[in-house]
Amino acid sequence: MKLFIYHTPERVPTDHLPDCAVVIDVLRATTTIATALDAGAEAVQAFSNIEELMRQSESWPVDKRLRAGERGGVTVEGFDLGNSPLACTPKVVKDKRLFLTTTNGTRALQRVAKSPKVITAAQINRQAAVNYILSTQPETVWMVGSGWQGDYSVEDTACAGAIAQSILQQSDTSLIDLFGNDEVIGAIALYEQWKDNLLNVFRQCSHGQRLLRLDGEADLKYCSQTDTLDILPIQKEPGVLVKY
Ligand code: MLT
């Protein structure tokens, strides 16, 4: 198995695909996707484009759908929900399909949607992603951070490092056999440095600051937890994620 990390969707190669793509948007899209499925949502269907989301969700029964999403961290006007994982309680999402659009996370998903296997990961479901990778042993794994509008986001790379480190610890492979690009070594070092204080990093990083300006302290706390949900979102058709 070879692990590759790409800090942003823009850095992902365009001429081939991995056996397994792991999309990461810790703040907050992939945290929200894991939380919604854990709370009983039927599926989360991701869109990078608001118009397309409106068009496709229109054909879904009104009592079985929720339109959710943000631009710049702020709820899209007229939508049922924003992108806060804390809003995804069983009472709100159970048996419903979330039609979700976000600034970066849904774009990252779209970039690798044609890969044979696509899963999403966040800090809260890190171990579930690790378990899946270890049990299925894909030849190539790409971990794709969502970043922010083409720029690097430290929280996504730290999560990719957390996954890589856990795979390394739980398999017989050495780092030199496992890593496919230098980003993996950097991400493991980053995670090692901050693993006991992720919330502090989240409060300081650019998107954390943006969310704090939008009253997002509770979201940051929730997203910074490690292995709190044993759930793995997996793509069943392009853009549609269900519980594995
Ligand atoms: C994104 O996709 O850029 C994020 O999930 C934004 C957010 O925190 O809502």
Side-chain angles (χ1 to χ4, degrees):
M1 187 195 316
K2 288 280 183 203
L3 299 181
F4 297 78
I5 292 176
Y6 298 103
H7 295 310
T8 64
E10 287 72 16
R11 296 184 75 102
V12 165
T14 50
D15 57 349
H16 60 292
L17 289 166
D19 296 312
C20 176
V22 185
V23 176
I24 301 172
D25 185 7
V26 175
L27 296 176
R28 297 165 292 177
T30 56
T31 304
T32 296
I33 291 168
T35 305
L37 293 176
D38 189 64
E42 175 262 327
V44 178
Q45 189 162 354
F47 296 84
S48 55
N49 178 288
I50 296 179
E51 290 70 41
E52 188 58 18
L53 180 154
M54 293 304 284
R55 202 180 62 74
Q56 291 208 32
S57 58
E58 208 51 56
S59 60
W60 212 257
V62 178
D63 61 336
K64 291 280 178 207
R65 78 168 184 226
L66 288 167
R67 289 174 175 146
E70 57 68 45
R71 283 296 176 271
V74 178
T75 303
V76 178
E77 205 183 319
F79 274 27
D80 304 298
L81 300 172
N83 185 30
S84 171
L86 296 175
C88 295
T89 60
K91 188 163 177 237
V92 174
V93 304
K94 193 162 172 29
D95 297 330
K96 297 196 176 169
R97 178 168 293 210
L98 242 72
F99 291 84
L100 177 71
T101 179
T102 71
T103 314
N104 305 285
T106 50
R107 222 159 36 84
L109 262 169
Q110 205 169 48
R111 198 80 180 218
V112 289
K114 293 196 175 125
S115 308
K117 292 285 176 217
V118 180
I119 61 173
T120 68
Q123 199 61 32
I124 59 166
N125 69 329
R126 168 192 77 151
Q127 192 57 44
V130 170
N131 292 345
Y132 176 82
I133 294 165
L134 286 175
S135 65
T136 56
Q137 290 287 324
E139 281 282 307
T140 49
V141 179
W142 291 1
M143 290 189 259
V144 183
S146 299
W148 187 266
Q149 296 180 338
D151 287 335
Y152 164 84
S153 280
V154 70
E155 66 277 11
D156 294 339
T157 298
C159 180
I163 294 169
Q165 188 227 41
S166 192
I167 291 173
L168 190 62
Q169 283 170 350
Q170 291 175 57
S171 60
D172 294 333
T173 325
S174 63
L175 181 57
I176 199 145
D177 288 331
L178 201 63
F179 85 90
N181 61 4
D182 284 8
E183 281 84 341
V184 178
I185 300 173
I188 291 176
L190 181 76
Y191 178 64
E192 276 295 330
Q193 168 77 16
W194 291 104
K195 65 182 176 195
D196 297 325
N197 208 355
L198 285 175
L199 179 56
N200 220 6
V201 185
F202 288 13
R203 284 186 181 130
Q204 290 173 54
C205 67
S206 56
H207 190 44
Q209 289 277 312
R210 189 177 295 111
L211 291 173
L212 285 176
R213 288 194 291 276
L214 297 167
D215 207 16
E217 170 73 14
D219 275 12
L220 293 196
K221 279 194 177 142
Y222 180 82
C223 296
S224 69
Q225 302 172 103
T226 299
D227 298 341
T228 47
L229 294 188
D230 183 19
I231 183 151
L232 184 74
I234 188 161
Q235 182 176 263
K236 81 164 183 184
E237 58 191 75
V240 180
L241 296 147
V242 295
K243 193 171 167 173
Y244 177 58

